[in-house]
Amino acid sequence: MAVIAGQQLKQVSDNKRNGVMNVTNIFIHGLGQNETSWDAVETQLIMEHDRKAEKPNLYSMIKGRKADYDTLLQTFTDYCNDFDGKLNVCGLSLGGILALDYTKRFPDKVNSMILIGTPCEIPKMLFKLQWILFHLTPKTAFEKIGCSKKDFMSLVGSMVDLDISDALDQIQCKTLVLCGAKDKANRNSAQLLNRQIKGSLLRIVDNASHEVNVHNPTELSRVIKEFWSEQ
């Protein structure tokens, strides 16, 4: 009981420091990333803006389970629902897809949402090409991000037929859509998400391609802080 109480007090303290009572910030990494991909952004937010965020490792959520998107979405949902109060969810690529699906299922739980380099529709041909490239990639490359090659390939394969464009016009939370200036593959998707999600904002981040959190963490942290401060 003492440990649980201490954790709860810490969460409340963190939320107070974040400027919003009982709201938890969550960064969700992309498919070829892990939670450390947010380190530079988090450092900037803490040092310059006094903001903190949770950074789950998605692969650890499906470890020992069936490695597919449905399983990942369910374990991610359980993770999010364990937090008291509302959430500011911020996801890149796969992380953005999870943020969208969670927000559709639990609209009252989400305070705001940031989508970065998130495909509005899964590009089937591109995913199939990526699957081939991943198949040729050494196992050690996957181990570096904390996932086995088998599980990674299984997860990618399960996402080919995903349809995330449904019910976008029903999203009510404040939403910011971001895309790296050099991320031409996702520029149209960013514009489509912006049109479909009512009241959403669209920003293009300079000096960045798809992995905005890695390519320009300083600018991204500034944009995130600005958006969160308005919530």
Side-chain angles (χ1 to χ4, degrees):
M1 291 292 291
V3 173
I4 295 175
Q7 291 173 341
Q8 291 174 335
L9 287 173
K10 181 179 184 300
Q11 181 175 326
V12 170
S13 176
D14 288 343
N15 287 331
K16 286 181 178 180
R17 187 171 67 251
N18 287 345
V20 182
M21 184 60 183
N22 218 26
V23 175
T24 300
N25 307 316
I26 300 179
F27 285 148
I28 318 156
H29 65 77
L31 185 62
Q33 302 183 333
N34 62 18
E35 76 280 10
T36 64
S37 301
W38 289 105
D39 285 354
V41 175
E42 184 187 40
T43 297
Q44 293 278 343
L45 283 170
I46 292 174
M47 293 181 61
E48 299 184 16
H49 309 302
D50 197 26
R51 293 273 183 154
K52 185 179 179 182
E54 301 293 330
K55 301 181 301 178
N57 182 301
L58 299 180
Y59 310 120
S60 66
M61 293 182 176
I62 57 175
K63 191 171 184 179
R65 301 168 182 256
K66 185 177 181 180
D68 62 14
Y69 181 77
D70 288 342
T71 301
L72 177 59
L73 177 59
Q74 184 57 58
T75 54
F76 177 74
T77 295
D78 294 341
Y79 169 83
C80 289
N81 287 344
D82 274 345
F83 289 99
D84 292 331
K86 292 198 172 187
L87 308 173
N88 289 325
V89 290
C90 174
L92 183 143
S93 195
L94 168 61
I97 295 173
L98 286 167
L100 272 172
D101 273 343
Y102 179 78
T103 300
K104 291 175 187 177
R105 287 163 171 75
F106 297 91
D108 294 337
K109 185 72 174 176
V110 180
N111 180 60
S112 73
M113 177 170 59
I114 300 176
L115 305 173
I116 308 172
T118 301
C120 186
E121 297 178 357
I122 299 298
K124 291 182 173 58
M125 185 58 69
L126 178 59
F127 253 58
K128 289 178 180 178
L129 289 173
Q130 286 182 325
W131 191 92
I132 294 172
L133 290 174
F134 291 142
H135 182 72
L136 298 173
T137 302
K139 292 182 180 180
T140 53
F142 300 97
E143 293 169 356
K144 289 179 181 178
I145 60 173
C147 185
S148 71
K149 182 174 181 176
K150 180 181 178 182
D151 283 352
F152 191 92
M153 297 291 290
S154 177
L155 177 59
V156 172
S158 72
M159 295 177 62
V160 173
D161 295 319
L162 279 183
D163 180 9
I164 60 174
S165 61
D166 181 55
L168 292 176
D169 59 343
Q170 300 301 310
I171 293 175
Q172 299 294 319
C173 68
K174 293 290 185 179
T175 302
L176 174 62
V177 181
L178 299 177
C179 186
K182 301 176 184 178
D183 187 8
K184 296 181 180 180
N186 288 292
R187 181 70 70 91
N188 288 338
S189 287
Q191 294 170 343
L192 184 57
L193 286 168
N194 176 230
R195 289 196 298 269
Q196 292 292 320
I197 301 176
K198 297 176 182 178
S200 64
L201 304 173
L202 174 63
R203 293 282 299 274
I204 303 300
V205 182
D206 292 333
N207 301 315
S209 65
H210 184 55
E211 295 182 276
V212 180
N213 54 353
V214 175
H215 299 148
N216 198 344
T218 300
E219 177 63 12
L220 179 57
S221 66
R222 187 190 67 78
V223 172
I224 290 173
K225 184 266 179 182
E226 182 180 280
F227 178 68
W228 282 348
S229 296
E230 295 173 354
Q231 307 315 306

